[in-house]
Amino acid sequence: MTIGLIDTGCANLASVRFALERAQLDYRVIDTPAGMEGCQRFILPGVGAAGPAMQRLRAAGWDRALAADARPLLGICLGMQMLFERSAEGHVDCLGLIPGAIEKLPPPVEGVWPHMGWNALEALDQDEPLLAGIEAGEHVYFVHGFFAPPGPATMAICDYGRPVSALVRHGHVAGCQFHPERSGAAGARILANFAMSPR
Amino acid sequence: MLARRIIPCLDVRDGRVVKGVRFRDHEDVGDIVDLARRYAREGADELVFYDIAASARGRTVEPEWVSAVARELDIPFCVAGGIRSVDDARARLFAGADKISVNTPALEHPDIIDRLAAEFGSQCVVLGVDSRIIDGQWRVHQYTGDPDKTVIGHRRTLDWIAEGIDRGAGEVVLNCMDQDGVRDGYDIEQLQAARALCSTPLIASGGAGQKEHFKSVFDLAKVDGALAASVFHKGVIEIGQLKSWLGGEGIRVRP
């Protein structure tokens, strides 16, 4: 099993690569859709802003390639947000693989913006394969200023003055708003679940 | 809601972790990767690595050890010390650091904060501030890595924090130097004043000596995280025990 780690040129891949290596998962960094051959699933990492990231994805043809593919795909942080239809960050159209839109996250009373730090997973969907072995209340590491309001795709939330989608799924396409590669044992379990998940 | 973060700070010099009192008389406390691994296992929420000599000597941190740490750690970490350019920052972030912290170079050229935030996003950019009372006011102290080169800045601490956030810093670490290394408790008054104007996460630094100090800085100054070094390095406080005690005291921590 080989994971294709999608390199858009503007995301920092080091921490995801090291997490996959710690988990002894086989992966290959791919920078064009031509590299998808031979991979059984894909991770779309993301750090930065939605506008430039979508531009890079489109320029390399990832929008069409991912729309036409049925292999499991996991977006991380901004990578998760780009799976939705559009984002309020820069008002850009995104990949449209998950219904819904990304909105700006209002800071809670006495809270800071962006949402940065360890927060607890809540309202876990019992059938979500990525959450196997994960219990409500486990903390994972978030860094983001925009968010997916809970919807049909939401498989777990966290509370930041309002419910925030923490983990989403629509068919074979899933996403984590948090960084599993920086979320201790819980994050490592979620990455391992992705490597083994049936979809 | 967010858990309050417990953050061991590892002062790095010549590839080793060191710790001094009031920024002087450094002693060797161990290997970087060994200590990083130990703290992550004990439940640290984040680590800060501070190359204490880099700013003063005009050197920069070596991405080699940053990468070695990133391979080991499954929690976030920040690298500070001697980051003078976007390229310096990129080398550390691409080696696997989650954040970079600027202190002295930002005092010399404040627009580096704007450039780093534009290039990498505010979430990567931490403003480190060394502050002490000078002439009855909290003021920013510069060149803290080398006693021979210590010069006193003239900026007022609170003005500088406000400017740094305005320029795009996504987090502030306020190191209260009068407390540093003496384990007498955090500077609650100064941290409260900083909290009042800080819309980003605020991390307290300087003065931790016993577990009650952590509780009071979270309760009274409402900081997002508390940073400490010597109490962890010397085993005075064990992180796992500290966090379970804080949890019992009603402070929200990651178990």
Side-chain angles (χ1 to χ4, degrees):
Chain A
M1 199 285 298
T2 299
I3 295 172
L5 184 55
I6 298 173
D7 182 7
T8 56
C10 59
N12 178 3
L13 299 184
S15 56
V16 178
R17 287 179 45 200
F18 294 151
L20 295 175
E21 287 167 18
R22 283 194 299 273
Q24 297 182 307
L25 295 171
D26 187 38
Y27 72 91
R28 185 193 307 162
V29 176
I30 51 177
D31 55 11
T32 66
M36 293 172 76
E37 198 182 327
C39 297
Q40 283 73 49
R41 47 202 77 204
F42 301 97
I43 291 179
L44 178 61
V47 172
M54 273 311 302
Q55 257 179 10
R56 303 287 286 259
L57 280 173
R58 282 212 182 82
W62 285 111
D63 51 337
R64 292 182 305 279
L66 292 174
D69 201 87
R71 285 167 282 187
L73 170 64
L74 177 67
I76 295 175
C77 197
L78 179 64
M80 178 210 90
Q81 297 189 354
M82 290 190 295
L83 301 173
F84 284 79
E85 291 169 303
R86 60 195 169 276
S87 173
E89 186 182 23
H91 303 283
V92 290
D93 286 330
C94 297
L95 294 168
L97 303 175
I98 299 179
I102 301 301
E103 299 176 7
K104 183 157 185 175
L105 176 62
V109 180
E110 289 201 349
V112 295
W113 192 90
H115 177 217
M116 177 150 76
W118 295 85
N119 208 332
L121 294 172
E122 297 174 29
L124 278 60
D125 185 289
Q126 296 304 313
D127 298 325
E128 170 52 49
L130 293 184
L131 293 171
I134 303 291
E135 296 186 9
E138 287 202 52
H139 283 69
V140 289
Y141 186 74
F142 291 86
V143 183
H144 63 115
F146 289 76
F147 81 120
T154 302
M155 297 292 127
I157 62 154
C158 70
D159 170 24
Y160 197 55
R162 70 194 61 238
V164 170
S165 294
L167 197 143
V168 295
R169 172 179 297 282
H170 184 71
H172 68 286
V173 179
C176 300
Q177 180 60 74
F178 52 91
H179 287 273
E181 74 277 16
R182 280 287 179 256
S183 291
R189 176 68 195 256
I190 289 166
L191 285 175
N193 286 343
F194 173 67
M196 295 184 300
S197 70
R199 49 184 174 153
Chain B
M1 297 299 287
L2 288 171
R4 307 288 180 180
R5 287 178 258 159
I6 300 295
I7 308 170
C9 177
L10 295 82
D11 288 351
V12 172
R13 191 165 68 182
D14 302 328
R16 301 284 294 176
V17 178
V18 297
K19 182 58 191 170
V21 174
R22 294 188 198 241
F23 287 70
R24 305 179 74 99
D25 305 326
H26 296 99
E27 59 181 282
D28 187 298
V29 292
D31 175 74
I32 298 173
V33 174
D34 285 350
L35 272 168
R37 193 188 292 132
R38 188 186 110 198
Y39 289 136
R41 205 167 45 224
E42 288 179 2
D45 297 304
E46 187 172 323
L47 298 178
V48 172
F49 297 88
Y50 182 26
D51 189 332
I52 54 167
S55 282
R57 293 184 193 162
R59 288 186 316 167
T60 58
V61 281
E62 294 146 14
E64 289 75 27
W65 65 258
V66 178
S67 177
V69 167
R71 282 177 194 280
E72 280 291 326
L73 279 189
D74 59 5
I75 58 171
F77 72 98
C78 176
V79 173
I83 295 161
R84 299 170 181 282
S85 66
V86 167
D87 286 342
D88 289 342
R90 182 182 292 111
R92 284 137 193 86
L93 292 169
F94 277 43
D98 297 276
K99 311 177 199 181
I100 43 92
S101 178
V102 286
N103 186 328
T104 307
L107 291 166
E108 293 166 348
H109 302 287
D111 69 332
I112 192 176
I113 302 170
D114 307 66
R115 284 186 279 123
L116 292 171
E119 185 73 18
F120 306 112
S122 290
Q123 81 284 344
C124 293
V125 183
V126 178
L127 179 65
V129 179
D130 294 321
S131 175
R132 74 190 323 171
I133 290 180
I134 299 164
D135 298 333
Q137 282 197 310
W138 295 311
R139 290 187 183 272
V140 178
H141 202 90
Q142 213 168 324
Y143 288 152
T144 48
D146 183 340
D148 298 336
K149 289 191 181 176
T150 295
V151 297
I152 294 162
H154 298 291
R155 285 184 181 81
R156 285 192 299 193
T157 301
L158 298 180
D159 292 348
W160 177 232
I161 290 173
E163 181 180 341
I165 292 170
D166 200 44
R167 287 179 178 275
E171 183 162 278
V172 174
V173 175
L174 178 55
N175 184 42
C176 304
M177 290 178 71
D178 295 310
Q179 268 70 24
D180 186 69
V182 297
R183 301 191 204 164
D184 220 14
Y186 289 97
D187 187 338
I188 301 292
E189 190 191 351
Q190 187 171 182
L191 288 158
Q192 281 174 331
R195 173 80 287 174
L197 61 82
C198 202
S199 57
T200 66
L202 173 66
I203 309 301
S205 169
Q210 37 185 285
K211 56 189 194 307
E212 289 79 6
H213 295 154
F214 291 87
K215 176 173 156 56
S216 49
V217 80
F218 290 133
D219 274 342
L220 301 176
K222 314 271 186 225
V223 295
D224 298 275
L227 184 146
S230 62
V231 287
F232 298 141
H233 301 328
K234 295 190 171 172
V236 177
I237 294 177
E238 200 272 331
I239 294 169
Q241 287 169 3
L242 170 65
K243 289 176 75 177
S244 63
W245 179 80
L246 286 170
E249 292 289 311
I251 306 288
R252 186 166 171 174
V253 291
R254 177 176 72 112

